[in-house]
């Protein structure tokens, strides 16, 4: 089958890889001049199934109010005139119950664990190199209260069979010797030994090159204008230059920009652009730099080691598509990396970046068939696009090819938002495929 994928971030490119491996003829279209140049470009570099958790959690509404007054808030909300912002926030609040959190976290972890297995196979299969390390994630706690609160996450890790270690201060320093300089700042940590790290942009560009060798066609510098639909199926994709591209199947993998194309044809995808920031700095002292990923629970900032660089990523702003680089946010990232690894990196030489994470209210992505006969989704991965990319795309490729997927596809379907009432006028309920 001819498949047209909209988007060449890590989700679009992994989708292209798995669909091409399944024997389809694949074209990828994107407005950027190359692969992985938006949200996949400067993310935190974590492949962390064990750390997969929805942002909608019990206690978050209360914390959000407290963060408004903090100097270095992990979350800030700037009201816009967009009604979708408020609808999304209301839907997110509805997911902040213990029951919803447990369901959502388990779904996310199942997909993320599966995704890591898929990534390991893909690595062997493709030989792609992306400065990856397999040395786990260490979530560091600065207070006893944080340490106690981790019990709920540990319960889910146990249910899902995910290995973990609860460490005291000395244990944290053994896992990450660079923390010796700041050991008095932390009281302990939760280590997830199976988590990995790597440069997502490097992975995306190198996998795109491997996919091209399989016959995937990449069409860059092509801005997409609209999806042409007759109410039963997609009949083509119109580009801004007027050209119409057609295929047998269409995959919407445009991250935060997916709702803009989906709304005019009747799909209200509950995806909001959650703005995040990162710094990339050269390693100053090998012995004082991180070995893998450290997640600072207080500031929700991740510090990740690449070959000769350190990536510091975090923060969440609900401000629509405002891509201003705010110095206040840079100050937070600089503060965290300097606080934990004072001699680790050359902060003065850091490059500063921002991107939009496509977040759903329940934290789980939207993957699979739509109620239109030939339209599929692979979008809404929030902060975990890199972690979930391979599993999501293998799941999508199986569904599109009519194979039995390894996971329960219903957990990730758009149907969970429609209550099976909307879109019935198209005459093709998603469950029919």
């Amino acid at each position: 089958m001819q498949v047209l994928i909209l988007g060449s971030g890590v989700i679009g490119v992994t989708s292209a890889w798995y669909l091409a491996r399944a024997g389809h003829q694949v074209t990828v279209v994107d407005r950027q001049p190359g692969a992985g140049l938006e949200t996949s470009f400067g993310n935190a570099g974590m492949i962390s199934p064990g750390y997969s958790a929805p942002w909608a959690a019990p206690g978050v509404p209360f914390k959000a109010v407290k963060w408004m007054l903090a100097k270095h808030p992990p979350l800030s909300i700037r009201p816009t005139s967009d009604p979708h912002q408020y609808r999304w926030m209301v839907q997110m609040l509805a997911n902040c119950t213990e029951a919803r959190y447990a369901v959502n976290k388990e779904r996310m972890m199942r997909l993320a664990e599966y995704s890591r297995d898929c990534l390991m196979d893909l690595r062997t299969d493709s030989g792609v190199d992306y400065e990856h390390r397999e040395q786990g994630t260490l979530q560091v706690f600065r207070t006893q209260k944080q340490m106690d609160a981790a019990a709920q996450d540990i319960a889910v890790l146990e249910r899902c069979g995910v290995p973990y270690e609860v460490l005291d201060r000395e244990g944290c320093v053994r896992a990450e010797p660079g923390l010796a300089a700041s050991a008095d700042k932390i009281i302990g940590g939760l280590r997830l030994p199976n988590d990995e790290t790597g440069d997502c942009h490097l992975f995306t560009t190198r996998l795109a090159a491997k996919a091209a060798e399989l016959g995937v066609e990449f069409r860059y510098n092509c801005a997409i204008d609209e999806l042409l639909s007759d109410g039963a199926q997609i009949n083509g994709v119109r580009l801004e230059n007027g050209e119409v591209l057609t295929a047998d199947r269409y995959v919407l993998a445009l991250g935060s920009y997916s709702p803009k194309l989906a709304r005019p044809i009747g799909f209200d995808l509950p995806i909001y652009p959650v703005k995040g920031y990162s710094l990339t700095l050269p390693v100053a002292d090998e012995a004082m730099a991180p070995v893998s990923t450290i997640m600072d629970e207080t500031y929700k900032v991740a510090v990740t080691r690449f070959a000769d660089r350190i990536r510091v990523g975090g923060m969440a702003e609900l401000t629509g598509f405002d891509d201003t680089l705010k110095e206040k946010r840079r100050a937070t990232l600089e503060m965290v990396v300097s606080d934990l690894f004072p001699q680790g990196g050359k902060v003065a030489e850091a490059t500063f970046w921002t991107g939009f994470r496509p977040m759903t209210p329940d934290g789980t992505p939207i993957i699979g068939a739509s109620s239109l006969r030939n339209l599929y989704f692979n979008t809404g991965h929030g902060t975990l696009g890199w972690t979930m990319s391979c599993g999501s795309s293998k799941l999508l490729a199986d569904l599109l090819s009519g194979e039995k997927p390894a996971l329960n596809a219903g957990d990730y379907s758009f149907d969970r938002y429609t209550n099976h009432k909307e879109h019935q006028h198209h005459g093709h309920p998603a469950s029919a495929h």
Side-chain angles (χ1 to χ4, degrees), residues 247-258:
D248 302 313
R249 300 284 183 272
Y250 300 84
V251 176
L252 186 58
L254 283 169
S256 296
Y257 299 93
S258 301

Side-chain angles (χ1 to χ4, degrees), residues 354-368:
T354 187
F356 300 111
R357 313 168 180 117
M359 191 80 88
T360 60
D362 64 5
T364 313
I366 297 169
I367 308 163

Side-chain angles (χ1 to χ4, degrees), residues 368-390:
S370 75
S371 55
L372 296 188
R373 199 175 59 77
N374 57 355
L375 174 65
Y376 289 75
F377 300 124
N378 195 4
T379 187
H381 294 74
T383 54
L384 295 162
W386 180 204
T387 295
M388 294 179 168
S389 55
C390 294

Side-chain angles (χ1 to χ4, degrees), residues 103-115:
V103 169
N104 295 335
K105 183 171 170 84
E106 223 153 300
R107 278 179 180 173
M108 291 168 76
M109 281 186 54
R110 267 200 305 273
L111 176 58
E113 289 277 320
Y114 173 61
S115 190

Side-chain angles (χ1 to χ4, degrees), residues 49-186:
Y51 199 69
S52 299
W55 286 31
V60 163
F62 173 70
K63 282 182 191 164
V65 174
K66 212 169 65 185
W67 285 331
M68 284 177 186
L69 309 169
K71 186 183 173 191
H72 297 287
L75 170 73
S76 72
I77 300 165
R78 206 188 72 209
T80 65
S81 56
D82 177 10
H84 299 291
Q85 181 186 26
Y86 302 99
R87 264 226 355 252
W88 183 88
M89 283 163 68
V90 167
Q91 284 174 295
M92 187 183 169
L93 284 172
N95 277 284
C96 286
T97 65
E98 299 227 352
R100 290 306 313 156
Y101 179 80
V103 169
N104 295 335
K105 183 171 170 84
E106 223 153 300
R107 278 179 180 173
M108 291 168 76
M109 281 186 54
R110 267 200 305 273
L111 176 58
E113 289 277 320
Y114 173 61
S115 190
R116 194 202 31 239
D117 295 344
C118 292
L119 173 61
M120 287 157 84
D121 292 343
L122 183 151
R123 219 166 34 223
T124 310
D125 202 17
S126 67
V128 68
D129 172 47
Y130 50 93
E131 296 186 10
H132 94 281
R133 293 172 171 237
E134 298 174 51
Q135 287 167 283
T137 297
L138 175 63
Q139 183 181 6
V140 295
F141 304 119
R142 293 173 184 257
T143 67
Q144 187 59 45
K145 196 174 168 196
Q146 289 171 348
M147 196 114 184
D148 297 343
Q152 192 183 11
D153 285 336
I154 288 169
V156 180
L157 293 172
E158 288 192 336
R159 266 206 307 282
C160 295
V162 178
Y164 67 90
E165 299 163 4
V166 177
L167 303 177
D168 60 11
R169 181 179 290 153
E170 288 68 36
C172 291
V173 175
R174 270 198 303 279
E176 281 287 351
L179 286 173
S182 58
D184 59 326
K185 309 260 170 78
I186 60 177

Side-chain angles (χ1 to χ4, degrees), residues 8-11 13 32-47 128-131 197-209 220 278 280 306 309 311 353 385-386 389:
S8 71
V10 69
I11 302 295
V13 170
Q32 292 288 353
L37 289 176
E38 294 206 13
T39 308
S40 305
F41 185 77
N43 72 10
M46 306 160 65
I47 300 158
V128 68
D129 172 47
Y130 50 93
E131 296 186 10
T197 60
D199 185 329
C200 180
H201 177 243
L202 208 54
F203 172 83
T204 307
T205 51
R206 290 182 175 172
L207 189 65
Y220 297 119
S278 75
T280 308
F306 295 158
R309 293 161 298 139
R311 173 70 53 75
W353 173 90
W386 180 204
S389 55

Side-chain angles (χ1 to χ4, degrees), residues 346-357:
K346 300 175 184 172
V347 175
E349 294 174 34
T351 51
F352 188 31
W353 173 90
T354 187
F356 300 111
R357 313 168 180 117

